[in-house]
């Protein structure tokens, strides 16, 4: 959503199940999302396209956080015994 006009800017579609967590990069170039479908998607904010799909969690991805320089992504999993924290080098 545009904070100035209130208009919808873009809808990002690609996950096959609920999205639990989203984060935007500090330079506003990309968005990351974590889902019940066990994946993390990296999206181009400019195009709305998925640029990467990160797989490794055996259960839903409940939380995500980008490092201050946007180089690393930390994700937390749950369900199906996946109670792990993973660190990804973007």
């Amino acid at each position: 959503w545009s904070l100035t006009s209130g208009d919808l800017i873009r809808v990002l579609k690609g996950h096959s199940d609920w999205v639990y967590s989203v984060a935007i990069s500090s330079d506003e170039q990309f968005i990351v999302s974590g889902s019940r479908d066990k994946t993390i998607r990296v999206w181009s904010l400019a195009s709305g396209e998925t640029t990467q799909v990160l797989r490794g969690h055996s259960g839903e991805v409940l939380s995500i956080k980008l490092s201050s320089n946007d180089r690393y992504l930390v994700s937390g999993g749950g369900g199906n015994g996946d109670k792990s924290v993973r660190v990804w080098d973007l």
Side-chain angles (χ1 to χ4, degrees), residues 27-44:
D27 62 4
E28 300 179 351
Q29 296 299 306
F30 64 93
I31 294 171
V32 292
S33 57
S35 172
R36 187 176 178 184
D37 68 8
K38 306 176 191 174
T39 68
I40 297 163
R41 287 185 176 262
V42 181
W43 310 82
S44 164

